[in-house]
Amino acid sequence: MTIDKACVECIINQSIKVADTIHADKLLKKRLVSTVEEMSKEFLFSNTPPEIASDVYAKMSQIAKKDDLYDELKRASTKKANSFVPFLKEKLLVSKDKLLTAVKIAVAGNVIDLAAEVEFDLEEELEKIFHTEFSHNDFDRLKKDLFGVKSVVIIGDNVGEHVFDYMFIEILQELYPQNNYIYMVRGFPIINDVTMKEAKEAGFDKLCNLVDSGVNTPGFVYSRASKEAQTLFDKADLVISKGMGNYECMSPSHRDNICFLLKVKCNVVASALDKEVGDIICKIV
């Protein structure tokens, strides 16, 4: 997906959110916003939104002299997500379809997105997710495909959401123990996306094969990935992609059998999917 005119305003608005998040004074806030406004005049509409965002956030980090602009909020998101784990484990314990429940949990976590056009409440989403149907529903195909594969790459998205991804992978290992599971994270801090730091703190390195993708974008841009990540992506029997940023970067992709799991949080992605903001998606291409 390449950027739309609406993406420009969204990215400029993100500079305001960043300034507020890092408690910038008036002078620093003005500099951050004005810099992004100037950068927006040169945005290439042949790029994906995450590619544009990577340049913008790198510049804001430089101006603010802060490598991880959302480090405080990422810690808060993790703490909040962890508070729901007992409730979700109980849901899995009594579930008649553990895979469906685990997939719904993984998608519900996708609302923890600090760059989204529309924000959703995590607690509210978890209350209703189990009674919500996928607007695009390839779940039965996903269930079938998991029986016939050996290697599965799960591309992570946001911090906090990764707590639910951990539970998702636990269920995948329980139901399909024959498969090798790889969890791929961002190579650098970008927005509130999960990196090796947060993934290791959550124990992914002991759960499955944990891989630094090398990308500096809030989405898996293949050309920016490490050779190891590219090889794993190409050779995997199935790729499970979490979130809008990854969808934007891999739609289209040079490979098939990618399962996109996400909640629609902006009108541009809604239009691309021919869905509505707020819909949940399980789409295999």
Side-chain angles (χ1 to χ4, degrees), residues 41-252:
K41 297 174 183 177
E42 305 296 328
F43 286 172
L44 294 177
F45 280 77
S46 57
N47 285 342
T48 65
E51 286 175 304
I52 297 293
S54 69
D55 296 333
V56 167
Y57 276 84
K59 188 64 176 179
M60 288 195 288
S61 290
Q62 181 185 3
I63 292 171
K65 298 179 181 179
K66 186 174 175 64
D67 291 335
D68 193 342
L69 294 166
Y70 280 119
D71 54 356
E72 290 182 23
L73 284 181
K74 288 198 291 185
R75 286 193 292 271
S77 295
T78 299
K79 184 177 180 180
K80 185 171 184 177
N82 277 320
S83 72
F84 290 106
V85 168
F87 164 74
L88 296 174
K89 283 186 174 180
E90 181 64 27
K91 283 286 186 182
L92 285 165
L93 190 64
V94 300
S95 174
K96 295 180 179 178
D97 189 334
K98 277 193 175 181
L99 180 64
L100 179 59
T101 301
V103 169
K104 290 284 188 74
I105 288 170
V107 173
N110 188 232
V111 305
I112 308 173
D113 188 345
L114 301 181
E117 177 185 345
V118 178
E119 295 184 3
F120 295 89
D121 180 75
L122 179 58
E123 185 170 2
E124 182 180 329
E125 290 303 308
L126 288 173
E127 286 292 336
K128 68 181 183 182
I129 191 71
F130 303 108
H131 311 290
T132 303
E133 296 296 325
F134 287 109
S135 181
H136 187 110
N137 192 351
D138 285 336
F139 173 75
D140 287 341
R141 179 180 165 187
L142 173 63
K143 196 170 189 176
K144 181 180 178 182
D145 286 354
L146 282 164
F147 271 114
V149 300
K150 292 182 179 179
S151 61
V152 181
V153 166
I154 299 104
I155 303 182
D157 191 23
N158 300 314
V159 172
E161 177 180 355
H162 76 301
V163 171
F164 302 150
D165 291 344
Y166 188 100
M167 299 178 71
F168 175 47
I169 294 173
E170 282 186 314
I171 296 302
L172 289 176
Q173 291 175 332
E174 177 186 332
L175 299 176
Y176 310 96
Q178 76 280 3
N179 297 335
N180 177 40
Y181 297 99
I182 300 152
Y183 191 66
M184 207 172 280
V185 298
R186 308 290 187 245
F188 303 87
I190 178 73
I191 316 182
N192 65 320
D193 286 21
V194 61
T195 66
M196 289 292 281
K197 178 181 181 292
E198 296 86 20
K200 284 185 175 180
E201 287 173 351
F204 278 91
D205 52 331
K206 299 176 180 65
L207 175 71
C208 61
N209 186 3
L210 176 61
V211 174
D212 181 334
S213 68
V215 303
N216 63 345
T217 45
F220 183 77
V221 177
Y222 182 85
S223 62
R224 299 193 186 193
S226 67
K227 291 298 181 184
E228 179 192 16
Q230 288 180 344
T231 299
L232 290 169
F233 179 82
D234 289 337
K235 291 187 175 182
D237 297 314
L238 173 66
V239 172
I240 299 176
S241 161
K242 295 294 308 297
M244 290 201 315
N246 287 323
Y247 175 77
E248 289 166 340
C249 292
M250 290 183 278
S251 183

Side-chain angles (χ1 to χ4, degrees), residues 39 86 124 146 155 179 201 211 236 258 265 273-275 281:
M39 291 180 73
E124 182 180 329
L146 282 164
I155 303 182
N179 297 335
E201 287 173 351
V211 174
I258 302 176
K265 292 165 288 191
L273 287 163
D274 194 24
K275 300 299 177 185
I281 306 294

